């Protein structure tokens, strides 16, 4: 392909799809199981309900539903995809990957499929990785999925964690398209990833194949995570603004990781992002880890908020710690 001078390849979003399991667990349901209250959960987190996977559903089941929906919106089939990345911390099996199972399920016969684990930042990490493949010109169309069944990692006796999380999946189809090299281009304009392994003990799962040979349960120092989250998020979003010469004023939408409404509000305020530009869906699915950002995107697309040409800032932070931000023109 000959390209004009200054032209670049951009990873343009051409499809989105999501899937939430049917079973709903409300705060009222949790009141019957634990010493907690709807008032406490709502006030501290903004969460009202979460979806819980059925016994016969696996992460690959959720991911495949979301993938099919995203492919349908893009008008494509599995065979049209040459890169599939599933961001997940809750795979069906230690191996093979969820991605290769989805690959088979959607009839993607070529290309490459792999999982990526960055916990709640997983979707931003997977999107950034896909963007590198697409803009390098080695791959043409990517399916990036965030899919989790966090309910199976929860200690249902620990009220400090089990009220926060839920299950779900969402998928995005991206296509390499030529752009002019400016922020007027459609597609991923910049992406920034960070990690700092010193924070292990603040948010982790106390099991795994090489330690306990069990899947383990989530352990968290909630207050510590909260304190660091706002600083980390604002820092990496500022980096995305600086790299593109854009500001909060230029944004049409801020689509943050849906962990906690108070973290979202505090981050938006620190970044001077107007409240009406903030997409918040945490009330309706809780923290779905790697699925949270694309679930929020899918909701804001479905109800007509995000339109072609809109400038959208995505961000997330999670265990590790890992955190990242991506600026995308729809
Ligand atoms: N219902 C009722 N009370 C609860 C409770 C629940 N579900 N969970 C904890 N509490 C209690 C605690 O036991 C504690 O009681 P005590 O004062 O008698 O000891 C009290 O509430 C305050 O606990 P604390 O953990 O200090 O509350 P908090 O204001 O920090 O809120 C979180 C807790 C988890 C909501 C908050 O820290 C948070 O959102 N952290 C970030 C978590 C997150 O988003 N993690 C994922 C990042 S990807």
């Amino acid at each position: 392909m000959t390209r004009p001078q200054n032209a670049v390849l951009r990873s343009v979003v051409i499809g989105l799809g999501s899937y939430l399991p049917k079973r709903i667990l409300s705060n009222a349901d949790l009141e019957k199981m634990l010493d907690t209250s709807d008032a406490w959960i709502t006030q501290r987190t903004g969460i009202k309900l979460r979806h819980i996977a059925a016994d016969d559903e696996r992460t690959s089941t959720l991911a495949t539903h979301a993938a099919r929906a995203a492919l349908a919106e893009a008008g494509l089939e599995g065979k049209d995809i040459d890169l599939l990345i599933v961001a997940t911390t809750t795979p069906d099996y230690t191996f093979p990957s969820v991605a290769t199972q989805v690959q088979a399920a959607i009839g993607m016969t070529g290309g490459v499929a792999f999982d990526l684990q960055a916990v709640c930042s997983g979707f931003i990490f997977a999107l950034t990785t896909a963007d590198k493949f697409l803009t390098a010109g080695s791959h043409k169309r990517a399916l990036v999925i965030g899919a989790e069944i966090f309910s199976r990692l929860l200690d249902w006796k620990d009220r400090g964690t089990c009220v926060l999380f839920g299950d779900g999946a969402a998928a995005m189809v991206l296509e390499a398209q030529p752009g002019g090299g400016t922020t007027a281009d459609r597609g991923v304009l910049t992406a920034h990833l960070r990690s700092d392994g010193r924070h292990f003990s603040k948010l982790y799962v106390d099991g795994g194949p090489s330690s306990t040979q069990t899947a383990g349960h989530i352990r968290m120092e909630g207050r510590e995570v909260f304190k660091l989250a706002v600083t980390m998020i604002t820092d990496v979003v500022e980096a995305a603004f600086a790299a593109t010469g854009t500001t909060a004023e230029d944004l049409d939408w801020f689509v943050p990781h849906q962990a906690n409404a108070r973290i979202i509000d505090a981050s938006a305020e620190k970044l001077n992002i107007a409240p009406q530009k903030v997409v918040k869906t945490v009330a309706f699915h809780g923290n779905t880890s790697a699925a949270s950002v694309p679930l929020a995107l899918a909701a804001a697309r479905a109800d007509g908020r995000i339109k072609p040409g809109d400038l959208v800032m995505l961000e997330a932070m999670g265990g590790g710690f890992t955190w990242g931000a991506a600026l995308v023109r729809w």
Side-chain angles (χ1 to χ4, degrees), residues 36 40 44 120 159-160 220 222-223 226 257 259-260 287 317:
T36 190
W40 192 96
R44 303 285 173 124
C120 297
R159 64 179 183 169
M220 182 175 71
R223 195 154 278 215
F226 195 107
H257 174 42
N260 181 310
N287 184 348
M317 73 85 65

Side-chain angles (χ1 to χ4, degrees), residues 65-130:
H65 283 303
R68 290 200 173 116
L71 286 170
E73 191 180 280
L76 298 174
E77 295 175 21
K79 64 174 173 48
D80 302 316
I81 301 295
D82 56 3
L83 172 67
L84 194 169
I85 309 177
V86 176
T88 189
T89 305
T90 49
D92 307 15
Y93 303 102
T94 301
F95 80 83
S97 64
V98 174
T100 51
Q101 294 180 79
V102 176
Q103 183 185 26
I106 64 170
M108 175 183 159
T109 45
V112 62
F114 57 90
D115 285 0
L116 188 154
Q117 202 268 72
V119 208
C120 297
S121 312
F123 186 80
I124 304 288
F125 276 56
L127 175 66
T128 304
T129 305

Side-chain angles (χ1 to χ4, degrees), residues 34-37 40-41 44-45 119-121 158-161 163-165 203 220-227 229 257 259-260 262-263 287 289 317-319 321:
L34 293 159
D35 180 15
T36 190
S37 66
W40 192 96
I41 301 170
R44 303 285 173 124
T45 72
V119 208
C120 297
S121 312
D158 177 9
R159 64 179 183 169
T161 54
V163 304
L164 303 175
F165 296 90
L203 180 54
M220 182 175 71
E221 295 171 26
R223 195 154 278 215
E224 288 301 305
V225 176
F226 195 107
K227 272 197 287 193
H257 174 42
N260 181 310
R262 287 191 302 149
I263 295 177
N287 184 348
S289 184
M317 73 85 65
F321 287 147

Side-chain angles (χ1 to χ4, degrees), residues 35-227:
D35 180 15
T36 190
S37 66
D38 173 46
W40 192 96
I41 301 170
T42 306
Q43 194 264 326
R44 303 285 173 124
T45 72
I47 299 167
K48 298 301 276 184
L49 53 93
R50 62 291 288 145
H51 294 250
I52 304 292
D55 290 347
D56 62 350
E57 284 182 316
R58 307 271 172 96
T59 297
S60 65
T61 323
L62 276 51
T64 301
H65 283 303
R68 290 200 173 116
L71 286 170
E73 191 180 280
L76 298 174
E77 295 175 21
K79 64 174 173 48
D80 302 316
I81 301 295
D82 56 3
L83 172 67
L84 194 169
I85 309 177
V86 176
T88 189
T89 305
T90 49
D92 307 15
Y93 303 102
T94 301
F95 80 83
S97 64
V98 174
T100 51
Q101 294 180 79
V102 176
Q103 183 185 26
I106 64 170
M108 175 183 159
T109 45
V112 62
F114 57 90
D115 285 0
L116 188 154
Q117 202 268 72
V119 208
C120 297
S121 312
F123 186 80
I124 304 288
F125 276 56
L127 175 66
T128 304
T129 305
D131 181 51
K132 304 284 183 207
F133 278 77
L134 295 183
T135 57
S138 63
H139 292 70
K140 179 79 183 136
R141 287 196 201 96
L143 182 55
V144 179
I145 306 173
E148 303 277 18
I149 300 190
F150 251 56
S151 62
R152 291 180 193 151
L153 279 183
L154 296 174
D155 173 353
W156 289 96
K157 293 190 181 70
D158 177 9
R159 64 179 183 169
T161 54
C162 75
V163 304
L164 303 175
F165 296 90
D167 306 335
M172 178 186 275
V173 183
L174 297 130
E175 185 174 70
Q177 294 181 6
T182 72
T183 54
D185 289 349
R186 292 186 66 206
V188 177
L189 300 176
T190 194
H192 301 261
L193 304 180
R194 309 256 195 276
S195 63
D196 186 342
R198 290 173 297 177
H199 298 292
F200 178 105
S201 62
K202 298 186 182 80
L203 180 54
Y204 67 105
V205 166
D206 62 3
S210 76
S211 53
T212 58
Q213 297 90 57
T214 63
H217 294 113
I218 292 174
R219 303 296 171 206
M220 182 175 71
E221 295 171 26
R223 195 154 278 215
E224 288 301 305
V225 176
F226 195 107
K227 272 197 287 193

